[in-house]
Amino acid sequence: MDFYAKTGKLALGSRLRRLGQKFLEDGVKIFQLYEVDLDPKWFPVFYCLSQEETLSITEIALKIGQSHASVSQMVKEMKKRDVVTMQKSKSDGRVNKVSLSEKGKAISLKLETQLIDVKSATEELLNESHHSLWKAIEDMEFLLSKENFFKRVLKKRKERESKLVEIIDYDPKYKAVFRDLNHEWITKYFQLELADNQTLDHPETKIIQPGGYICFASYKGEIVGTCALIKMDNGTYELAKMAVSEKARGKNIGWLIGQHIIEKAKGLGAKKVYLESNTILEPAINLYYKLGFKRVVGPPSPYERANIQMELEF
Amino acid sequence: MDFYAKTGKLALGSRLRRLGQKFLEDGVKIFQLYEVDLDPKWFPVFYCLSQEETLSITEIALKIGQSHASVSQMVKEMKKRDVVTMQKSKSDGRVNKVSLSEKGKAISLKLETQLIDVKSATEELLNESHHSLWKAIEDMEFLLSKENFFKRVLKKRKERESKLVEIIDYDPKYKAVFRDLNHEWITKYFQLELADNQTLDHPETKIIQPGGYICFASYKGEIVGTCALIKMDNGTYELAKMAVSEKARGKNIGWLIGQHIIEKAKGLGAKKVYLESNTILEPAINLYYKLGFKRVVGPPSPYERANIQMELEF
DNA sequence: ATAAATTGCGTAAGTACTTACGTAATCATT
DNA sequence: AATGATTACGTAAGTACTTACGCAATTTAT
């Protein structure tokens, strides 16, 4: 199969399914060999019933990990072939109690010798292989239960894209972008306040000249995020005006800007970084925690929207 | 999933398929995430075309290991969505040449970044697991290509059943069985000859009393096979009248009787064992080779059906 | 050169599931 | 006690394949 050689591990899913299919196809022939009058696809249902006497449709479905609809269909066919019997439950008029019929029980005895051979063939196969497929499957199921494949791809995408993000210093030509990026999120959740207009319209005189700092995140040549440090007193800087464009979410930009701005604060000789925010901005608050900020109660803020204050001490 | 815990390795096939399914399900979500306008099931077809420009339906089917019918259906859908173009081949009026359309080529560029992330997620997953699923699959595919699962089960059955076979010595009450078992195969392929009637009707006087030996194979209390040693001169014994009942095939009975009779010959002080047979009885001849017999040219046989002579020297 | 076999393809129908949906029975809440 | 939510089930329809079949076009054998 040329395809697997070329796509390699990309096609892990279909390769697994294909391998499983191979086993199941042989299953059909094996049932014929032992002259067991069962449709191989019934096997899981049949096996459960041979172990537990009486089960409802839903119970079987849960046990074998298929949909109740599928079990319902199979049981219908099995009944037509007199392999099982069905009876409405007296205690609960909804449930349909399924058991093996006499014929089914007879088949189950025959099936036992078949299972002995299938089991030892499987075990031999697993022993012959150098790398244990059985344990590898267990590993994989465990890993996927911790974090499914989709999330893993998401994570990789973030990793890759964050490598394309560059952090650059303030330049007068970005003045408008600085305003727009902040305007975007403030007006989405709150209203522009007087203090906003002053800093957003005059970043150079209000932030940079008093000893502050502004940086930008650029992704594929486009400015998609920004953040500022405003000098306060006693070696404290305020982290403010952090903004990431909606369309650039999922690229770890907040984290990258945040880290950069903290390093910058250290470089400026800061002893701590302070910030104000609002609990409605959940992802932002989580980011601040991840960056090491702790919640504090500080002096009242000039901003109406501020309902949480945080600090990072070096 | 309770079922797998109980049936254990019996359900290897369905467990594999289920695991593969999990990957493929996430595949759908991943395609959405990257906004690639492709049905995930088209992926194998699409991938082949992105590598090779133009391919026929059958070529694609071969590469991806699916039926041509399936590819034909997919290509039809893909054409409806303007992802591929189709053109009858000029050199062969039967073949339908499929290529990516302009739209398809554009998609293929988008797809590339997706594949990068999927690939690194898969690789991380495989590295995280202690037992390598990838290598385990390769092992398993290799082992199955050498001997498929069905044959392995067959082998195990033979092994198990041959343990239930007992070899027992001649007893007058088996006189009729001795005749019947041999009668069964001789009349199936040849005609009864005079020499047959003599030995089959009088085993005691014709075989045992002159220093020969007869044994039987019993399976679950029923006599299903027999074999005789006839004393010749110069420390030679003839292996003759070996017969295994049709319905007891596949239980290794020929091999078990053969080995027993050779040991017996050794015990009787034989220097070699001789036999006559017919090349039409292929499984028998193979058995004799496996038991160590070599082809020889000996004196003419009293049996018309004999066209091959063999010997085993100790 | 002509018949027979093979090949490439498309369509239809089947398979082993799934999701979606409707119905009746039961449980929970007020 | 009435209403709404949940549960168990069956049926219908969809999905992603498969096998079966038929029809041309081509290759091989005679």
Side-chain angles (χ1 to χ4, degrees):
Chain A
M1 242 152 260
D2 202 14
F3 180 66
Y4 290 125
K6 274 202 173 163
T7 57
K9 296 168 187 174
L10 269 181
L12 181 59
S14 54
R15 193 171 184 182
L16 275 170
R17 253 192 16 159
R18 195 159 294 275
L19 184 56
Q21 196 62 42
K22 250 189 207 163
F23 279 94
L24 295 183
E25 270 162 22
D26 276 14
V28 180
K29 285 195 280 179
I30 292 166
F31 272 87
Q32 282 167 0
L33 175 67
Y34 287 80
E35 293 171 338
V36 172
D37 184 25
L38 279 184
D39 190 326
K41 77 169 167 178
W42 299 342
F43 173 69
V45 174
F46 190 88
Y47 186 82
C48 288
L49 288 172
S50 75
Q51 302 296 105
E52 299 222 18
E53 194 74 28
T54 299
L55 290 165
S56 73
I57 301 280
T58 327
E59 281 166 350
I60 297 170
L62 252 158
K63 270 179 201 293
I64 69 175
Q66 289 181 19
S67 65
H68 84 269
S70 152
V71 174
S72 175
Q73 286 162 11
M74 281 191 271
V75 164
K76 199 176 153 191
E77 293 168 34
M78 289 168 88
K79 198 189 167 185
K80 209 185 266 172
R81 286 260 291 275
D82 282 329
V83 174
V84 297
T85 57
M86 273 168 16
Q87 215 184 351
K88 282 262 161 194
S89 164
K90 274 165 202 158
S91 57
D92 187 336
R94 293 167 305 177
V95 325
N96 209 338
K97 297 230 154 203
V98 187
S99 324
L100 289 190
S101 67
E102 284 311 308
K103 187 181 166 191
K105 281 175 192 158
I107 290 174
S108 129
L109 289 175
K110 240 187 180 178
L111 190 65
E112 247 167 58
T113 63
Q114 175 184 333
L115 294 189
I116 290 167
D117 296 342
V118 170
K119 200 168 177 178
S120 56
T122 317
E123 267 160 14
E124 192 191 75
L125 204 50
L126 289 170
N127 287 337
E128 265 182 49
S129 63
H130 195 256
H131 300 271
S132 166
L133 181 60
W134 192 252
K135 283 183 182 160
I137 292 175
E138 274 177 358
D139 274 9
M140 191 54 65
E141 283 178 345
F142 173 71
L143 288 172
L144 287 176
S145 75
K146 279 203 309 187
E147 189 173 23
N148 70 32
F149 190 62
F150 179 70
K151 279 192 184 156
R152 285 168 188 271
V153 172
L154 220 57
K155 206 175 70 189
K156 285 295 169 189
R157 176 162 114 140
K158 204 170 190 172
E159 268 175 42
R160 182 177 50 75
E161 290 193 325
S162 76
K163 276 182 199 144
L164 301 175
V165 174
E166 261 182 291
I167 306 293
I168 51 184
D169 284 356
Y170 182 82
D171 184 294
K173 68 182 171 190
Y174 298 140
K175 198 172 159 182
V177 182
F178 180 68
R179 195 198 146 79
D180 294 344
L181 282 170
N182 276 290
H183 197 274
E184 185 184 331
W185 72 265
I186 294 173
T187 53
K188 184 171 176 190
Y189 294 100
F190 314 100
Q191 289 192 318
L192 271 189
E193 300 179 30
L194 194 71
D196 288 317
N197 282 322
Q198 296 202 344
T199 44
L200 292 181
D201 289 337
H202 312 289
E204 288 160 36
T205 54
K206 291 285 173 184
I207 299 175
I208 294 175
Q209 278 170 21
Y213 170 75
I214 297 177
C215 69
F216 294 94
S218 132
Y219 176 72
K220 289 185 178 173
E222 195 185 346
I223 302 298
V224 292
T226 185
C227 189
L229 272 180
I230 300 171
K231 192 173 185 181
M232 299 168 75
D233 28 275
N234 307 330
T236 302
Y237 283 81
E238 181 185 348
L239 186 159
K241 301 290 175 274
M242 181 185 271
V244 175
S245 164
E246 287 270 356
K247 57 185 181 194
R249 292 284 151 83
K251 295 177 183 24
N252 231 7
I253 291 171
W255 171 257
L256 293 169
I257 300 184
Q259 284 212 307
H260 176 86
I261 216 91
I262 288 168
E263 285 311 303
K264 186 70 191 182
K266 277 185 194 164
L268 291 171
K271 282 181 187 146
K272 62 181 179 188
V273 177
Y274 168 82
L275 68 82
E276 293 170 348
S277 185
N278 187 296
T279 43
I280 208 178
L281 306 167
E282 226 179 290
I285 305 297
N286 285 335
L287 172 63
Y288 298 142
Y289 276 119
K290 261 206 281 186
L291 285 165
F293 284 84
K294 301 240 155 65
R295 199 165 174 175
V296 293
V297 180
S301 163
Y303 289 99
E304 230 179 90
R305 63 173 173 270
N307 74 351
I308 180 171
Q309 298 165 312
M310 300 178 86
E311 246 182 38
L312 173 62
E313 273 184 288
F314 299 131
Chain B
M1 244 151 261
D2 202 15
F3 180 66
Y4 290 124
K6 274 204 173 163
T7 57
K9 295 165 186 175
L10 269 180
L12 182 59
S14 54
R15 193 171 184 180
L16 275 169
R17 251 191 17 160
R18 194 159 294 274
L19 183 57
Q21 194 62 40
K22 251 190 206 164
F23 279 94
L24 296 183
E25 271 163 21
D26 275 15
V28 179
K29 285 196 280 178
I30 292 166
F31 273 87
Q32 282 167 359
L33 175 68
Y34 288 80
E35 292 171 338
V36 172
D37 185 25
L38 279 185
D39 190 326
K41 77 168 167 178
W42 298 344
F43 173 70
V45 174
F46 190 89
Y47 187 82
C48 289
L49 288 171
S50 75
Q51 303 296 107
E52 300 222 17
E53 194 74 27
T54 299
L55 290 165
S56 72
I57 301 281
T58 327
E59 281 167 348
I60 297 171
L62 251 158
K63 273 181 199 291
I64 70 175
Q66 289 180 18
S67 65
H68 84 269
S70 152
V71 174
S72 175
Q73 286 162 10
M74 281 190 273
V75 164
K76 199 175 154 193
E77 294 168 33
M78 289 167 87
K79 198 187 169 188
K80 210 184 267 172
R81 286 260 291 275
D82 282 328
V83 173
V84 298
T85 56
M86 273 167 17
Q87 215 184 352
K88 282 264 159 192
S89 163
K90 274 165 200 157
S91 57
D92 186 336
R94 295 167 303 178
V95 325
N96 208 339
K97 297 231 158 204
V98 186
S99 324
L100 289 190
S101 66
E102 285 311 308
K103 187 181 166 193
K105 281 175 192 158
I107 289 174
S108 127
L109 289 176
K110 242 189 180 175
L111 189 65
E112 248 168 58
T113 63
Q114 176 185 332
L115 295 189
I116 289 168
D117 297 341
V118 170
K119 201 169 176 176
S120 55
T122 316
E123 268 161 11
E124 193 191 74
L125 205 48
L126 289 169
N127 287 337
E128 267 182 48
S129 62
H130 195 257
H131 301 271
S132 166
L133 181 60
W134 192 252
K135 283 181 182 161
I137 292 175
E138 275 177 356
D139 274 9
M140 191 54 64
E141 283 177 346
F142 174 70
L143 289 171
L144 287 176
S145 76
K146 280 203 309 187
E147 188 174 23
N148 69 31
F149 190 61
F150 179 70
K151 278 192 184 156
R152 286 169 188 270
V153 172
L154 220 55
K155 208 175 67 189
K156 285 295 168 188
R157 178 162 114 139
K158 205 169 187 171
E159 269 175 39
R160 182 177 51 74
E161 289 193 325
S162 77
K163 276 181 200 146
L164 300 175
V165 174
E166 261 182 291
I167 306 292
I168 51 183
D169 284 356
Y170 182 81
D171 184 293
K173 67 184 171 190
Y174 298 140
K175 199 173 158 180
V177 182
F178 180 68
R179 194 197 148 81
D180 294 344
L181 282 169
N182 276 290
H183 197 273
E184 184 184 331
W185 71 265
I186 295 174
T187 53
K188 182 170 177 189
Y189 294 101
F190 313 102
Q191 288 190 318
L192 270 189
E193 300 179 30
L194 194 70
D196 288 316
N197 282 321
Q198 294 203 343
T199 44
L200 292 181
D201 289 337
H202 310 290
E204 288 160 35
T205 54
K206 291 285 171 185
I207 299 175
I208 294 175
Q209 276 169 22
Y213 170 76
I214 297 177
C215 69
F216 294 95
S218 134
Y219 177 71
K220 289 186 178 174
E222 195 185 347
I223 303 296
V224 292
T226 185
C227 189
L229 273 179
I230 299 170
K231 191 172 186 183
M232 299 168 74
D233 28 274
N234 307 330
T236 301
Y237 284 80
E238 182 185 349
L239 186 159
K241 301 291 176 273
M242 181 186 270
V244 174
S245 164
E246 286 270 355
K247 59 185 181 192
R249 292 284 152 85
K251 297 179 182 20
N252 232 7
I253 291 170
W255 171 256
L256 292 169
I257 300 185
Q259 284 211 308
H260 176 86
I261 215 90
I262 288 167
E263 285 311 304
K264 186 72 191 181
K266 278 185 192 164
L268 290 171
K271 281 181 187 144
K272 63 180 178 188
V273 177
Y274 168 82
L275 67 83
E276 294 170 348
S277 185
N278 188 294
T279 45
I280 208 180
L281 306 167
E282 228 180 287
I285 306 295
N286 284 335
L287 172 64
Y288 298 142
Y289 277 118
K290 262 206 281 184
L291 285 166
F293 283 84
K294 302 239 154 68
R295 200 165 174 174
V296 294
V297 180
S301 162
Y303 290 99
E304 228 179 272
R305 64 174 172 268
N307 74 350
I308 180 171
Q309 297 164 312
M310 301 178 86
E311 246 180 38
L312 172 62
E313 273 183 288
F314 299 132

